[in-house]
Amino acid sequence: MWFTSGALSTFSPAIFIISGTLLLWLRRKMALLTPVSSSYLPRLYSQLAAYDAAVENKSRICLSNASSTFQRSLIYKAGLSSHLEKRESCNFKVSASVTTEVSTPEVSVKLPIVKGDTWAIHKFGGTCVGTAQRIQNVANIVMEDGSERKLVVVSAMSKVTDMMYDLIEKAQSRDDSYELALDAVYEKHKLTAVELLDGDELATFLAALSLDINNLRAMLRAIYIAGHGTESFSAFVAGHGELWSAQILSAVLRKGGIDCTWMDTRDVLIVNPAGSNQVDPDYEESEQRLDNWLLKHPSKVVVATGFIASTPQNIPTTLKRDGSDFSAAIMGALFRARQVTIWTDVDGVYSADPRKVSEAVILNTLSYQEAWEMSYFGANVLHPRTIIPVMQYDIPIIIRNIFNLSAPGTKICRAPVIEVEEKQKLITYVKGFATIDNLALVNVEGTGMAGVPGTASAIFAAVKDVGANVVMISQASSEHSVCFAVPEKEVKAVAKALEARFRQALSAGRLSQVAIIPNCSILAAVGQKMASTPGVSATLFNALAKANINVRAIAQGSSEYNITVVIKREDCVRALRAVHSRFYLSKTSIAVGIIGPGLIGATLLNQLRDQAAILKEKSNIDLRVMGIIGSKKMLLSDMGIDLSKWKELQKEKGEKADLEKFVHHVRGNHFIPNTVLVDCTSSTEVADHYHDWLHTGIHVITPNKKANSGPLDKYLKLRSLQKQSFTHYFYEATVGAGLPIMHTLRDLLQTGDKIIRIEGIFSGTLSYIFNSFVDTRSFSEVVMEAKAAGYTEPDPRDDLAGTDVARKVIILARECGLNLELSDIPVQSLVPDPLKETASVNDFMQQLPSFDSDIATKRQAAEDSGEVLRYVGVVDVKNQKGVVELRRYKKQHPFAQLSGSDNIIAFTTERYNKQPLIVRGPGAGAEVTAGGVFSDLLRLASNLGAPSC
Ligand code: ADP
Ligand code: ASP
Ligand code: MG
């Protein structure tokens, strides 16, 4: 965390310790200091504390430690570099060269001729060699690689290392089922070999296997009797998986005609224990042993065991869990290989753990530093220590999927050219996200810490004394508190050590407390130049805030590769999805909730089903239906409902409808930044929620007329909220279905035109009825025909009463700024008075013919004057009135020319005065209404930033 103090602007040099490599940074220049392990941290702090005290002008202005132990930074004011360089006692050798690149310690060894870039290294993980068939597949890939020389590093067959550790566990706890478990290990390898090999190769392997198993049995027996096994015993037992898989694979290659030898890397690779479950390779010694080995084994193809090594005393050890990647990288460095290919079961390094974020994308390239940070933060596709050995010699690593050879994989190499992706530019800076769970935060607080040199050093010395690994450090600028994260299992010991160390300061009140915040996780964003690019942190924190995730601590490493936040563990996956989607998903990803999958709703779902993929592909608009709710059941999905079978899914997985839960779900899905609820009901109850939804940032789209034609005060409240916020409320389909009525009206108003009158045939049903009410036909006959054709509501009185038209009139009137209530609109009902109360639809239909004469007379009178009857709605803006009634129009008037169930709307305005602006077309029916709703969805996307195309 950066913090200011006085003359911050004057600082320029900085020191970085990068996973054991201390770097000195002088304004865009990096000087390399020799590696230190993270356990040097307390010593560094105390050196710096001494320095603080020694220099006249106290100069520490920033302490920050990005969560990877690879990268810790302490920023000092100008002048520090020379002090540090001179400080012999610091134990960090400062290299003379000042360079922009990270260089590495020279290993002065004479290179035997056989080493160099004729070698290609391949590493196959456990799943790659999990079965006989897969081992054969691996052999084929090796044979197909055209490299002159090949070193193939193999893991144990999948699960075997777990089985081996389990044997030790069982023996130590005197559980004699280890015998059976050992038999299972034997059987597994025997069967695999039998399937792949024959003749002498098979006999040789089985003999070696039996010998190993007998030795292991004896050893496990000893552990069983003692009830304890040493670490070297465990390492010896655990490494057998690799011994066997390497022997099998090399025999398979020989069977395929390849001149191949297998290497027991315990004979070559020498490592020293480095504390906290790590080992450091002894490159010099290993290189010598490798030269000797190569002299004796001049094969061009070597299969080497991953994971295992020896101590300088030749005691078998391991590179710790998942260490085969590290083995391959060390071999790459020892051989000065051309490249190291790590074969696994995924297409490469994803932008986030694909098991947690299904939206994660494959990264084509990563710099060494980026890969370093990603792996440190739990991207277990790569062992965190894999990078250092290859980086020394600029050897690229390629991560590839053995099950998908067509995928090119991820290339990890020296800072690749930043790819300019077509999507957001920020993506080029943020490469990936990763998390570490099971951490606790320790907060040491107190006013007495400010300005007291040595406090940080004392804190970390105490932490080091209990052997805890500090994952992240953050210090507030006031120096009032120092906060750091350690693994949860170590936090108790850390707290105890700190309390003991600071007992006096605590009782004197100089320190107020040592607080522990358990159940934390770290979320890291990793990417080149990220931290120095304006907007990246803002976007990250904004995404977290929108997902309602509280950030407990922050660290931003000055290396610019990492921004780290500490959050509650239960928020971790949600946070990961939220930030990932913000950087990787299209800006116009919208979570859609469909309310009312009736005729219009279901049609809309079909339209979305057919169009969603195209929109995503062509326009970068990602519409995901996260929920569908009907009156009885609802269907919820975390990633988006498969719209090709939503009805079946609703039957299978639907739950009881609960609107509150539904809204919470659709909105609560924080990996999609925007939410819209589409109300396809005609319910007043649903419409009553719009205000609250808009208030919480949920966009609303609807063909439901109830909100805009309901009580005026509610309507005005809704519209004023809409105007104040950035939340959108669209209702194009409330008038004229899919016809651009509201849109046209809004455009006219917004461009300064003055509306004089809107007059139109707004009811498709009544349009049909009057268009067909010609010649000798009776009115009731036409109504019956319309009903039979499905043009009317189930009860045709709902159409004939004119209320629906009145609602449209009021919606248009209010849009024009008239403050009218529905009751202010006089409506001429076409339902004869005596039939208004008639109980059933059938009764109504039967009695309607007896009222035909009245309307027939009106029609005839119109006809006699060369006119037709039309049922229209009128908004008279000038006189601030509206009306719904039957009117007569000359036969040449556009309203008289209609056919079928078309709507027609005429806008008479100051600009369109002599000739009104006319919109005409089908104004009813599920397809066009759903189409109107759909166009509102696209309008929303465009308002949210979708490209205009
Ligand atoms: P192997 O046995 O081949 O070494 P691992 O299981 O160690 O394979 O590593 C591969 C796994 O890492 C993948 O199956 C994937 O689930 C997981 N993983 C976690 N984070 C990432 C990431 N960011 N990119 C790719 N894979 C990841
Ligand atoms: N077989 C070892 C393990 O499972 C090493 C590896 O596969 O990377 O930990
Ligand atoms: Mg692995």
Side-chain angles (χ1 to χ4, degrees), residues 17-217:
I17 303 174
I18 294 189
S19 177
T21 305
L22 179 66
L23 298 179
L24 184 70
W25 182 45
L26 295 153
R27 275 200 192 275
R28 279 181 244 113
K29 287 183 182 166
M30 277 181 169
L32 181 83
L33 292 92
T34 49
V36 290
S37 93
S38 60
S39 64
Y40 283 94
L41 193 58
R43 218 156 83 220
L44 174 67
Y45 277 114
S46 74
Q47 297 280 357
L48 295 173
Y51 171 76
D52 279 346
V55 287
E56 215 178 296
N57 184 3
K58 190 181 163 304
S59 57
R60 181 144 58 85
I61 57 168
C62 166
L63 165 59
S64 170
N65 169 326
S67 26
S68 74
T69 38
F70 295 134
Q71 183 224 331
R72 303 178 194 281
S73 57
L74 292 137
I75 312 292
Y76 273 70
K77 280 189 202 164
L80 172 68
S81 58
S82 55
H83 282 274
L84 256 181
E85 283 173 78
K86 278 184 222 143
R87 203 170 332 122
E88 304 288 72
S89 60
C90 192
N91 261 358
F92 306 122
K93 264 194 283 155
V94 183
S95 91
S97 65
V98 173
T99 159
T100 49
E101 308 288 326
V102 177
S103 62
T104 48
E106 270 306 306
V107 184
S108 56
V109 187
K110 219 175 79 203
L111 292 184
I113 194 79
V114 284
K115 293 198 290 196
D117 64 7
T118 51
W119 285 91
I121 312 284
H122 289 272
K123 179 259 167 175
F124 292 93
T127 40
C128 303
V129 291
T131 62
Q133 206 189 356
R134 288 186 182 176
I135 293 175
Q136 184 61 59
N137 185 32
V138 165
N140 297 343
I141 288 176
V142 174
M143 288 189 273
E144 273 159 33
D145 174 16
S147 306
E148 202 175 314
R149 295 186 169 88
K150 292 169 263 193
L151 179 90
V152 181
V153 176
V154 279
S155 288
M157 292 175 75
S158 64
K159 308 262 165 50
V160 167
T161 311
D162 291 342
M163 289 165 97
M164 303 309 283
Y165 278 114
D166 187 49
L167 290 176
I168 303 158
E169 246 337 272
K170 285 196 160 103
Q172 285 195 138
S173 48
R174 300 208 166 105
D175 172 354
D176 54 18
S177 68
Y178 79 82
E179 289 271 3
L180 287 176
L182 185 61
D183 292 343
V185 169
Y186 172 69
E187 279 304 306
K188 184 178 174 91
H189 290 88
K190 189 179 101 178
L191 290 177
T192 308
V194 167
E195 218 176 299
L196 290 164
L197 306 172
D198 42 35
D200 284 354
E201 290 286 7
L202 179 61
T204 312
F205 174 74
L206 290 182
L209 178 66
S210 297
L211 188 65
D212 288 341
I213 293 286
N214 287 341
N215 286 340
L216 286 173
R217 205 178 294 280

Side-chain angles (χ1 to χ4, degrees), residues 235 332 364 374 404 452 474 485 540 549 716 722 788 828 892 915:
N364 298 334
M374 283 292 283
N404 180 15
V452 180
S474 168
L540 180 85
I549 287 160
L716 291 174
Q722 181 200 6
Q828 179 183 359
Q892 51 277 37
Q915 282 269 47

Side-chain angles (χ1 to χ4, degrees), residues 123 125-126 343-346 348-350 352-355 374 379-381:
K123 179 259 167 175
W343 293 88
T344 183
D345 59 354
V346 279
V349 181
Y350 279 91
D353 187 338
R355 292 165 298 192
M374 283 292 283
N380 56 330
V381 62

Side-chain angles (χ1 to χ4, degrees), residues 155-156 161 242 307 321-324:
S155 288
T161 311
E242 272 72 9
F307 184 50
R321 288 313 305 260
D322 297 314
S324 295

Side-chain angles (χ1 to χ4, degrees), residues 531-553:
S532 66
T533 306
V536 177
S537 340
T539 309
L540 180 85
F541 289 110
N542 190 283
L544 290 170
K546 235 186 145 194
N548 205 17
I549 287 160
N550 190 22
V551 174
R552 316 296 301 241

